[in-house]
Amino acid sequence: MSSDASDLAISCKGVGKRYRLGATASEGVGTFLKSRLRDPLGRRSGHKDFWAVRDVNLDVRRGEVVGLIGRNGAGKSTMLKLLSRITEPTTGTIDLWGRVGSLLEVGTGFHPELTGRENIFLNGSILGMSRQRIRDKFDEIVDFSGVEKFLDTPVKRYSSGMFVRLAFSVAAHLEPEVLVVDEVLAVGDVLFQKKCLGKMKDAAGGGRTVLFVSHQIAAVRSLCTRAVLMQQGQVAMDGPVDEVAQAYARAFLPAESEAIVRPTVSPGADRPIATEVRLLADGRPAVQIDAGTPMSIEVDFEADRAIRPSLGVIIANGDGVSVLHTSSRYAPADSLQTPRQRGTIRYDFGPIPLTGGDYAVSIYLGDADRDTHRLPEVLRFELTERDLFDAGKPYPRDGSLLWWPVETSVREPSASPSANAA
């Protein structure tokens, strides 16, 4: 995306970063000279060049909030390190207008032996802030981070959550013109994540530029208007956040065709069999489903004689723990009591109250009370995070298995039961 140079905060032209796989810092000059003696042409045996980033052209305007998305190893973090001047590009040029504040990983720029207070001043100085400017922002930084009680404790004793809260607070409150953030929402509680998003929105509203890397697509959509999809070290797509997020889902998640499975059955099977299994979201085949979306499973079956079909379904999470089990045997429907030789059984689950994550579906087709065709983990799907309750933030993957809709009300305090009894 091009722009007038006077309006730019970041400009990357043909940027590439090459690493040499298999090489170590201890090789030194001696090893290099020995290799030259063995091979005057300078060919390097046993080492390969790896381009973490290659031929990246990217312009970001002042005040723009851009999300950088892609799979692990796509080159996102390398790009942020290049922009933060932590490492230099092998090829191309990077132009930056304004002071850059970076939060790339927990503790970047902090000295573990120094206290939280001392690291605030150290980090501020690295960002080019005067001591007086840091003092002016000091109380805001501490209040936002929530580590006031531990301010004079060496940060090596901080938990990872405390570490990232202080690091983000320093980077955000010292008001760099360009704020570069890598996966800050992967650490910290839900309340802090909400504060981070709010602070980044404030930064953008104040005319500062934000470059935000996250695997939480819901957070990227909430914060950014533009997204850049990286694939194998290159820019695969650059455009409106919703379009890029959809392209990311299409490119890297299971194909929609995998929502329809036709099991292989031995010829001449003399038992009822499932001929096709379908996973549906809002009535359409899907393997990536927004949490809270109505979900259905359909199973086509046939037999060599009329049967009274039954169907059992088990959904297990990524750790193999069964989180949902249902069977028509325990909730009989009239339509299943009529003997038939072939047909389709459909389960409409409605919005399944499972939190975001990867899940597998196993089915058990039966004839009355006898299982005849077992298909363990025949389907797989991903539930993606979503703002389930219109709260302005996605429901988190916080280790729990279920979310649950509840009716919330607030009323005036009533007399205690003991007082009423009296």
Side-chain angles (χ1 to χ4, degrees):
M1 182 175 289
S2 61
S3 181
D4 178 41
S6 63
D7 193 34
L8 291 177
I10 301 170
S11 181
C12 302
K13 304 296 183 189
V15 172
K17 180 63 182 180
R18 179 182 60 204
Y19 292 99
R20 189 181 176 199
L21 300 182
T24 64
S26 60
E27 279 188 323
V29 177
T31 304
F32 172 76
L33 291 175
K34 289 178 183 178
S35 68
R36 285 284 180 168
L37 290 173
R38 286 195 298 269
D39 188 345
L41 296 178
R43 292 187 294 256
R44 303 170 182 174
S45 60
H47 299 307
K48 293 182 179 179
D49 288 339
F50 169 70
W51 287 87
V53 169
R54 192 162 201 166
D55 195 28
V56 170
N57 297 292
L58 177 66
D59 288 344
V60 180
R61 298 187 299 274
R62 289 195 183 107
E64 198 170 15
V65 185
V66 179
L68 210 56
I69 62 176
R71 295 185 98 178
N72 289 332
K76 308 182 301 296
S77 295
T78 299
M79 274 303 301
L80 296 195
K81 289 176 181 176
L82 291 167
L83 294 172
S84 302
R85 305 299 194 193
I86 291 174
T87 186
E88 292 296 318
T90 306
T91 61
T93 60
I94 298 176
D95 291 316
L96 298 167
W97 288 266
R99 189 171 54 250
V100 178
S102 305
L103 182 56
L104 303 186
E105 58 186 56
V106 175
T108 300
F110 275 29
H111 194 293
E113 299 295 335
L114 299 181
T115 66
R117 184 187 304 274
E118 291 165 338
N119 270 296
I120 290 174
F121 282 93
L122 173 64
N123 222 236
S125 298
I126 292 172
L127 288 174
M129 306 298 293
S130 68
R131 195 168 185 83
Q132 184 57 49
R133 181 64 174 165
I134 299 170
R135 285 197 188 99
D136 292 342
K137 289 288 181 179
F138 187 85
D139 289 343
E140 290 181 43
I141 293 169
V142 174
D143 181 63
F144 186 92
S145 68
V147 300
E148 182 177 3
K149 289 195 292 187
F150 307 98
L151 203 55
D152 294 308
T153 300
V155 296
K156 67 181 181 181
R157 299 196 178 101
Y158 283 18
S159 68
S160 59
M162 292 166 60
F163 220 132
V164 78
R165 288 202 302 271
L166 185 59
F168 179 86
S169 190
V170 173
H173 283 82
L174 294 180
E175 298 180 350
E177 282 79 13
V178 180
L179 180 60
V180 176
V181 183
D182 187 5
E183 284 294 1
V184 68
L185 299 183
V187 182
D189 54 38
V190 175
L191 180 60
F192 178 69
Q193 292 176 11
K194 182 180 179 181
K195 288 172 67 176
C196 287
L197 284 172
K199 193 64 182 175
M200 286 188 277
K201 287 179 179 178
D202 290 345
R208 282 175 283 162
T209 306
V210 179
L211 200 58
F212 177 46
V213 166
S214 179
H215 287 100
Q216 297 188 22
I217 302 302
V220 174
R221 278 178 157 147
S222 170
L223 182 66
C224 308
T225 56
R226 173 186 167 200
V228 175
L229 174 62
M230 294 201 68
Q231 183 178 358
Q232 298 178 344
Q234 296 183 306
V235 173
M237 186 175 180
D238 182 351
V241 64
D242 285 337
E243 293 180 14
V244 176
Q246 290 170 11
Y248 172 69
R250 289 193 302 269
F252 299 122
L253 294 171
E256 293 301 312
S257 60
E258 294 180 29
I260 301 175
V261 176
R262 296 178 178 85
T264 301
V265 182
S266 301
D270 58 352
R271 55 190 173 86
I273 57 171
T275 57
E276 186 169 291
V277 184
R278 297 180 290 277
L279 178 66
L280 309 174
D282 273 340
R284 295 183 296 274
V287 290
Q288 187 190 25
I289 303 171
D290 286 340
T293 299
M295 193 175 92
S296 306
I297 291 174
E298 290 184 342
V299 179
D300 294 345
F301 70 92
E302 63 181 40
D304 58 349
R305 56 182 172 79
I307 63 168
R308 288 179 298 160
S310 67
L311 181 66
V313 173
I314 294 177
I315 298 179
N317 67 8
D319 296 325
V321 177
S322 177
V323 295
L324 187 152
H325 178 207
T326 187
S327 173
S328 61
R329 291 173 185 164
Y330 306 112
D334 292 342
S335 62
L336 296 180
Q337 303 310 304
T338 303
R340 61 187 72 225
Q341 192 168 349
R342 62 180 55 85
T344 299
I345 303 176
R346 177 180 172 116
Y347 276 179
D348 288 312
F349 291 92
I352 294 184
L354 295 173
T355 54
D358 299 318
Y359 295 90
V361 178
S362 301
I363 71 163
Y364 300 86
L365 178 67
D367 176 3
D369 292 328
R370 180 173 63 95
D371 287 337
T372 60
H373 196 181
R374 302 186 179 194
L375 293 170
E377 299 188 355
V378 64
L379 296 169
R380 292 183 178 275
F381 66 95
E382 180 191 21
L383 279 181
T384 57
E385 297 163 353
R386 181 173 156 229
D387 186 359
L388 291 165
F389 303 117
D390 294 324
K393 58 182 180 292
Y395 198 88
R397 303 187 189 195
D398 59 358
S400 60
L401 294 177
L402 301 175
W403 59 270
W404 203 262
V406 295
E407 292 290 335
T408 305
S409 61
V410 179
R411 57 185 174 82
E412 294 298 323
S414 59
S416 66
S418 59
N420 291 332

